[in-house]
Amino acid sequence: MTENEKVLLECEQRSKSNSHRIDGLEKDMKEMKEDNKAIYKIATSVEVMAEKLGNIEEKVDETNRKVDETAKAQRISEDRFLQRVADIEGQPAIQLQKNVNEIKVKVITAIITFLVTGALGALIYFAK
């Protein structure tokens, strides 16, 4: 083999080796492109999910606010109702207290009237 043939043979072997390596790199590039597409889809899906979670969080906050307002209104209504019930239950006792006070006043007035009438009658009787 001559020197030229050796160089040609070596170039041909390198050419085949380089072609083989280039084919492998092209295959790897295709796989990387597919992986990048999958990663992009995942990233897009995560972004959409984050946006939806944000919307859900806003709705939950709004729902919590409405529940709190409703509970507060319910407590106020319940307090008013309980106050009315207490007033109605206490009304007979209050009326009884008023009646007892009126009876006391009338009895005391009757006693004082009796005493004053008796004293005036005695004055008139003894004054004659």
Side-chain angles (χ1 to χ4, degrees), residues 1-124:
M1 248 194 216
T2 66
E3 191 64 34
N4 269 347
E5 288 176 341
K6 285 182 184 180
V7 171
L8 279 176
L9 183 59
E10 192 177 307
C11 283
E12 190 176 316
Q13 287 175 349
R14 276 193 176 177
S15 173
K16 286 181 182 180
S17 174
N18 287 342
S19 293
H20 180 66
R21 287 175 59 201
I22 289 172
D23 289 343
L25 290 172
E26 285 176 346
K27 181 181 174 188
D28 290 346
M29 287 295 287
K30 279 185 180 180
E31 288 176 7
M32 286 175 62
K33 282 183 180 180
E34 289 175 12
D35 290 346
N36 283 342
K37 285 179 184 178
I39 290 170
Y40 178 76
K41 284 182 181 180
I42 290 171
T44 304
S45 297
V46 168
E47 183 180 350
V48 169
M49 285 174 29
E51 185 177 314
K52 288 183 179 182
L53 283 174
N55 291 340
I56 290 171
E57 186 177 75
E58 288 175 11
K59 289 180 180 180
V60 166
D61 289 344
E62 182 179 334
T63 302
N64 285 341
R65 184 184 53 78
K66 287 180 180 179
V67 166
D68 290 344
E69 288 175 0
T70 303
K72 183 178 178 182
Q74 183 67 29
R75 278 192 303 271
I76 291 171
S77 177
E78 185 178 332
D79 289 345
R80 286 181 185 160
F81 176 75
L82 291 174
Q83 183 61 41
R84 287 181 188 156
V85 168
D87 290 346
I88 290 170
E89 286 177 343
Q91 201 168 19
I94 292 170
Q95 187 63 40
L96 179 64
Q97 181 88 22
K98 286 180 183 178
N99 290 344
V100 168
N101 286 340
E102 286 180 19
I103 291 171
K104 286 179 184 177
V105 167
K106 289 180 181 179
V107 167
I108 292 171
T109 303
I111 291 171
I112 291 174
T113 304
F114 178 74
L115 291 175
V116 168
T117 306
L120 285 175
L123 278 175
I124 293 173

